[in-house]
Amino acid sequence: MSFGIAYNVKSKVRVCTPELFHRAIDSQVVADVCAQIKDALEAVRRGEMSPEDFETLKGNLKKALIIFTFHATFKNGRRKNDEAVPSGLAIYDKDHINDPHGYWAAIEPRAKELGIGMAHVTPSSEGLRLVFGVPQGLSLEQAQAWMAGQLGDADYDACVKDYARCSFAVPRDYVLWLDMEALFA
């Protein structure tokens, strides 16, 4: 399995190596951007920023983040579905949850059984993303529905079913589970 990495959403995608992966999650830029997003979310919770302003700020800040394309690599480095080379990985997103750590704690005992290579809090700090191996014979969309079913989640983010979808890098301290063998098998 090979997945992609790029400097940001507008950059060309290349194959991610373990070294590039670790460099991304240890990046000071990634840590600083995620800290700014987290601080802005706290400002919303204190009533100092509107949710709309937060969404705008978050979107602008995320443009500076390194991205992973866990679903695929791309023949010409462009994130286009028709140039995708599937990686065998899928992502499951659970957005707008108050306690991503608690949500993960319920899943963690089954992480290996479910083929999870990575679990992390999202850049907003109010979501959880799982990266997992696509079960044999399932499409990307079916794999995400399978994972949601395994977790008893009828309300997952079903919008992440295209190969060109990116995942924004997060700092190492946002990573709750990392199985490099499963991620880079």
Side-chain angles (χ1 to χ4, degrees):
M1 286 187 273
S2 292
F3 61 90
I5 188 171
Y7 294 115
N8 58 47
V9 292
K10 295 189 183 250
S11 298
K12 286 206 171 227
V13 176
R14 60 184 172 154
V15 172
C16 188
T17 64
E19 178 185 7
L20 290 172
F21 176 81
H22 286 294
R23 198 179 308 158
I25 66 173
D26 291 330
S27 162
Q28 191 60 51
V29 170
V30 169
D32 291 346
V33 168
C34 288
Q36 290 176 59
I37 293 170
K38 191 174 188 175
D39 289 346
L41 180 61
E42 289 304 316
V44 171
R45 291 178 176 156
R46 290 189 306 268
E48 299 166 359
M49 178 184 279
S50 72
E52 296 79 15
D53 287 347
F54 170 69
E55 289 300 323
T56 300
L57 177 67
K58 179 176 72 169
N60 288 333
L61 287 170
K62 284 168 57 173
K63 291 176 186 174
L65 287 173
I66 296 167
I67 65 161
F68 298 111
T69 58
F70 289 115
H71 293 159
T73 57
F74 299 89
K75 292 175 189 166
N76 296 307
R78 298 177 299 200
R79 282 190 310 123
K80 294 185 171 201
N81 282 319
D82 61 346
E83 295 181 13
V85 179
S87 68
L89 295 171
I91 58 176
Y92 162 88
D93 270 340
K94 184 67 174 175
D95 296 322
H96 308 292
I97 52 179
N98 292 329
D99 184 12
H101 291 86
Y103 194 85
W104 169 246
I107 299 167
E108 186 175 13
R110 297 182 60 207
K112 286 229 181 253
E113 166 199 338
L114 295 171
I116 296 172
M118 181 181 185
H120 69 81
V121 176
T122 59
S124 71
S125 74
E126 59 179 356
L128 179 72
R129 176 167 300 122
L130 306 178
V131 182
F132 64 98
V134 174
Q136 188 73 26
L138 297 185
S139 69
L140 190 57
E141 187 173 3
Q142 290 167 333
Q144 290 165 338
W146 172 85
M147 180 60 79
Q150 293 296 307
L151 302 177
D153 181 11
D155 189 36
Y156 72 102
D157 185 353
C159 295
V160 289
K161 59 184 174 255
D162 61 295
Y163 286 108
R165 177 65 65 137
C166 70
S167 291
F168 293 99
V170 295
R172 187 174 295 274
D173 63 342
Y174 280 43
V175 177
L176 305 174
W177 173 269
L178 185 56
D179 180 340
M180 292 295 286
E181 187 176 315
L183 202 57
F184 285 94

